[in-house]
Amino acid sequence: MGAQEVREGFVRLYGAEPDGVWAAPGRVNLIGEHTDYNDGFVMPFALPHTAVAAVSRRTDGLLRLHSADLDSGVAELRLDDLVPASDTNWTAYPAGVVWALREAGHAVTGADIHLSSTVPSGAGLSSSAALEVVVALALNDLYGLGLQGWQLARLCQRAENVYVGAPTGIMDQTASACCEAGHALFLDTRDLSQKQIPLDLAAEGLRLLVVDTQVTHAHSGGEYGKRRAGCEKGAALLGVDALRDIAYADLDAALARLGDEEEEEEVRRLVRHVVTEDQRVEQVVALLESGGDSRAVGPVLTAGHASLRDDFRVSCPELDLVVDTALAHGALGARMTGGGFGGSAIVLAEATDVEGLTKAVEEAFAAAGFKAPRVFEAVPAAGARRLG
């Protein structure tokens, strides 16, 4: 749904023109999975798919929320009643942002919000972060808060961690708030330093496909939290602040220090994935910045999937089928993207192979009795912005 349609929907709902319309995108993570909450490196880029919000200020302490994508009425919440873990509906995401802004001392006095999103929900493409960031940007503008993109991302992460109760890292919100069209974002999640890396695969005759397996995942589920807790345990056992502090060259020695007892095997696997994944991010950055052939990125993506599947154990049969089928039909590289346990995979391929690869994946899913996947091309798009 475009800006004009969302604006018109706002008028029908609330009987007045909105103060403005904003958009924030979902994201694909090219490389760097489960590294963000380990103070590591990530490399996402924004999708053309966005959450769009028409918003007006209120002064009476009331928050009114409506989604054009759901068959439900306007939700009315009092700002003074917003407390963490009080809401298990979609409204927790925008309400959590308002709560986080107020907790940080920003004088937000209410809002009318009408939303619509084209970011697939549950596909590992950050639909929740897009929802959070578009609301944060709108309120930042309307209330003149003067916050920068990375600051909005921090507040949105706090909303998701504390208010919603999902232990996510900072990558998704930062990607939505800060990505630029035609670039991937090399982000150091420790100090939030950023570097925009040009990414124009089409110029090299390449395409990056997103394959949404239609298997829904949820960050607030227990398995994600278990992985994060395991990483924190590994850092504590190794005497470092975060697994980011284990150098790739020191990985074998670090794993040896953890011992080989059965109860530590899971921690060893988690540590190995995070340290090698940070190295893979740096490899991809170096390859893209060198101006060489981006085809060399393919094997790095595939190695990342093997690590996520075997060490971090967050893949699933549908994701593995995408990767195996794509590689068997000429893909240059493929891996799951997002938190795992479902969601999407990405496939790097020659433009001339896209049609055949897509057909092969669709046929493989049908033969396995899986729900038909959704396949589309990912092109680096703009980050959060005001539309009008």
Side-chain angles (χ1 to χ4, degrees):
M1 189 176 288
Q4 186 57 34
E5 292 172 282
V6 175
R7 178 183 292 275
E8 291 170 356
F10 183 99
V11 173
R12 287 193 298 271
L13 278 171
Y14 300 121
E17 287 284 336
D19 292 337
V21 181
W22 291 260
R27 65 95 188 97
V28 160
N29 192 24
L30 184 63
I31 193 73
E33 221 64 76
H34 291 277
T35 50
D36 60 343
Y37 54 81
N38 289 290
D39 282 3
F41 305 124
V42 294
M43 199 176 185
F45 62 85
L47 289 168
H49 307 70
T50 58
V52 178
V55 185
S56 284
R57 289 179 50 163
R58 296 182 67 94
T59 59
D60 58 359
L62 190 67
L63 176 63
R64 296 199 292 183
L65 300 167
H66 183 265
S67 171
D69 308 320
L70 300 172
D71 186 19
S72 60
V74 175
E76 293 192 1
L77 305 169
R78 294 213 60 82
L79 300 191
D80 290 342
D81 295 336
L82 299 181
V83 292
S86 61
D87 189 349
T88 58
N89 299 311
W90 72 271
T91 50
Y93 295 95
V97 169
V98 176
W99 170 84
L101 285 167
R102 285 164 56 86
E103 282 287 299
H106 301 294
V108 175
T109 56
D112 287 339
I113 301 175
H114 176 56
L115 293 145
S116 182
S117 180
T118 57
V119 185
S121 178
L125 303 175
S126 298
S127 58
S128 60
L131 192 59
E132 293 158 359
V133 170
V134 74
V135 170
L137 180 62
L139 297 177
N140 184 55
D141 288 354
L142 292 178
Y143 283 94
L145 304 181
L147 300 172
Q148 298 180 49
W150 68 269
Q151 294 171 304
L152 294 177
R154 276 286 194 214
L155 286 164
C156 290
Q157 182 199 17
R158 177 166 168 76
E160 189 152 351
N161 288 172
V162 180
Y163 195 90
V164 178
T168 55
I170 191 65
M171 174 181 67
D172 296 350
Q173 293 85 359
T174 305
S176 186
C178 301
C179 278
E180 295 181 3
H183 294 75
L185 178 68
F186 177 37
L187 173 67
D188 182 334
T189 65
R190 169 163 283 171
D191 61 12
L192 297 189
S193 59
Q194 304 175 18
K195 189 173 186 180
Q196 302 287 345
I197 308 294
L199 184 65
D200 186 1
L201 297 174
E204 299 183 58
L206 301 175
R207 298 290 186 272
L208 189 73
L209 301 179
V210 175
V211 182
D212 177 3
T213 64
Q214 306 280 344
V215 178
T216 301
H217 82 158
H219 272 162
S220 54
E223 290 300 317
Y224 185 97
K226 285 181 184 177
R227 301 305 188 281
R228 182 165 186 164
C231 290
E232 291 168 353
K233 179 180 178 181
L237 289 171
L238 292 168
V240 294
D241 291 335
L243 294 183
R244 146 73 174 278
D245 296 312
I246 304 299
Y248 180 70
D250 298 332
L251 176 59
D252 289 343
L255 295 177
R257 286 169 55 201
L258 289 174
D260 56 5
E261 291 82 1
E262 185 176 346
E263 59 267 25
E264 302 300 343
E265 177 56 29
E266 180 179 7
V267 174
R268 287 168 52 83
R269 287 190 286 99
L270 298 178
V271 170
R272 182 164 53 229
H273 166 73
V274 172
V275 175
T276 59
E277 187 78 347
D278 274 336
Q279 172 72 2
R280 283 185 284 271
V281 177
E282 293 184 293
Q283 278 183 272
V284 171
V285 171
L287 287 167
L288 294 177
E289 287 193 317
S290 72
D293 191 339
S294 294
R295 289 164 178 81
V297 169
V300 186
L301 302 184
T302 304
H305 183 77
S307 182
L308 288 160
R309 180 193 64 211
D310 300 336
D311 277 344
F312 226 71
R313 298 188 182 180
V314 291
S315 191
C316 67
E318 291 85 352
L319 288 168
D320 291 341
L321 185 60
V322 173
V323 172
D324 294 344
T325 303
L327 293 174
H329 288 80
L332 300 166
R335 75 172 190 90
M336 58 154 283
T337 188
F341 313 108
S344 299
I346 54 174
V347 178
L348 181 65
E350 303 285 353
T352 52
D353 291 339
V354 165
E355 185 176 348
L357 279 169
T358 301
K359 182 179 179 182
V361 169
E362 291 171 344
E363 289 177 347
F365 267 56
F370 296 151
K371 185 177 180 180
R374 177 179 181 228
V375 184
F376 60 92
E377 182 182 350
V379 178
R385 60 216 181 265
R386 185 167 185 163
L387 300 178

